[in-house]
C-alpha cells in the first residue's frame, strides 16, 4: 500500500517527464523525425502512467509502457547514429528493436523487463561511445544519466535516495531526455 505523499511524488515525476518528453519532441522535430517520434512515445507512455495513477481500478496495461522504452530509445539512438553518418548501425539498432517489439507476445513479463533494461544499457553505452569520439558533451551527460537510471533499478533506490525507485528513475530519464535533445541539436 502506497502513501498519498509517494503517490503525489510519482504523479509529479510522471507529469514532469511527460512535459519534458513532449518539449524534447517539439525541439527535435526539425532535426530528425525519428528522435522526435522516440520522445513522443515516451511522452505518451508517461501520460498513460499518469492516467493509471489517477483512475481507480485495475492498473493501466504496462505493455504500452515497456514498448515505448523498447522502441523509443532505439529511435533516439537511430537518430544519433544517422546524424553522425553511421547509417548501417542506425538501421541495425532500429530493426532489432522493432523485431523485439513485434515478437513481444511470446515473452514473459520478466523477459520483457530484462529486454527493457538491456535496451537502456545498450543505448546508453552506444551513445556514450559515440559522444566520446565526437566530443558531444550533451550526449555524454545524457548517456550517463540513462546509465544512472539503470543502476537505480539494480540497486534499491529507496535506500540510496530519499525518493522511491520510480521517482528517481523518472528524474534521471528526464535529465537524459533534456541532454539528448541538446546533443541532437548540436550535431553538425
Amino acid at each position: 500500500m502506497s502513501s498519498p505523499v509517494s503517490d503525489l511524488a510519482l504523479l509529479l515525476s510522471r507529469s514532469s517527464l511527460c512535459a519534458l518528453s513532449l518539449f524534447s519532441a517539439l525541439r527535435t522535430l526539425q532535426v530528425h523525425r525519428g528522435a522526435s517520434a522516440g520522445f513522443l512515445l515516451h511522452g505518451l507512455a508517461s501520460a498513460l502512467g499518469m492516467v493509471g495513477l489517477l483512475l481507480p481500478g485495475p492498473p493501466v496495461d504496462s505493455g504500452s509502457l515497456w514498448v515505448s522504452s523498447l522502441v523509443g530509445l532505439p529511435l533516439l539512438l537511430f537518430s544519433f547514429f544517422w546524424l553522425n553518418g553511421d547509417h548501417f548501425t542506425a538501421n541495425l539498432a532500429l530493426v532489432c528493436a522493432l523485431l523485439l517489439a513485434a515478437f513481444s507476445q511470446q515473452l514473459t513479463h520478466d523477459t520483457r523487463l530484462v529486454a527493457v533494461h538491456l535496451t537502456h544499457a545498450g543505448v546508453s553505452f552506444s551513445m556514450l561511445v559515440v559522444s566520446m569520439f565526437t566530443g558531444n558533451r550533451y550526449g555524454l551527460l545524457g548517456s550517463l544519466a540513462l546509465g544512472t537510471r539503470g543502476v537505480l533499478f539494480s540497486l534499491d533506490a529507496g535506500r540510496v535516495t530519499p525518493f522511491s525507485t520510480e521517482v528517481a528513475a523518472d528524474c534521471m530519464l528526464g535529465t537524459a531526455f533534456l541532454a539528448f535533445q541538446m546533443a541532437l541539436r548540436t550535431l553538425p
Side-chain angles (χ1 to χ4, degrees):
M1 180 97 190
S2 60
S3 69
V5 174
S6 65
D7 287 343
L8 180 63
L10 186 58
L11 183 64
L12 289 175
S13 71
R14 291 276 160 83
S15 61
S16 64
L17 182 61
C18 180
L20 286 171
S21 299
L22 296 177
F23 172 75
S24 297
L26 286 175
R27 298 261 304 174
T28 57
L29 187 61
Q30 297 301 320
V31 176
H32 198 272
R33 305 255 194 243
S36 185
F39 287 128
L40 183 64
L41 275 174
H42 278 285
L44 293 175
S46 298
L48 278 176
M50 288 186 323
V51 167
L53 289 172
L54 293 174
L55 294 178
V60 176
D61 179 34
S62 62
S64 58
L65 301 177
W66 78 268
V67 167
S68 71
S69 292
L70 199 62
V71 177
L73 284 174
L75 276 169
L76 294 177
L77 183 65
F78 169 79
S79 300
F80 206 76
F81 276 123
W82 191 271
L83 292 173
N84 278 307
D86 191 356
H87 300 269
F88 176 75
T89 308
N91 288 326
L92 182 66
L94 188 59
V95 165
C96 289
L98 291 175
L99 283 175
L100 187 59
F103 294 108
S104 64
Q105 294 299 322
Q106 287 77 23
L107 301 177
T108 64
H109 178 71
D110 292 337
T111 309
R112 288 179 186 176
L113 288 177
V114 169
V116 167
H117 289 300
L118 289 176
T119 300
H120 283 205
V123 168
S124 176
F125 183 71
S126 298
M127 285 193 176
L128 179 68
V129 170
V130 171
S131 297
M132 284 174 47
F133 284 117
T134 60
N136 192 329
R137 63 182 178 268
Y138 296 115
L140 285 170
L141 176 65
S143 61
L144 291 175
L146 190 61
T148 304
R149 181 186 185 274
V151 169
L152 286 175
F153 276 114
S154 64
L155 300 174
D156 185 14
R159 293 183 305 159
V160 179
T161 65
F163 308 110
S164 69
T165 304
E166 293 88 7
V167 171
D170 287 347
C171 292
M172 287 288 100
L173 194 57
T175 303
F177 285 168
L178 281 177
F180 284 151
Q181 65 96 7
M182 289 299 296
L184 289 166
R185 292 175 52 84
T186 59
L187 287 173

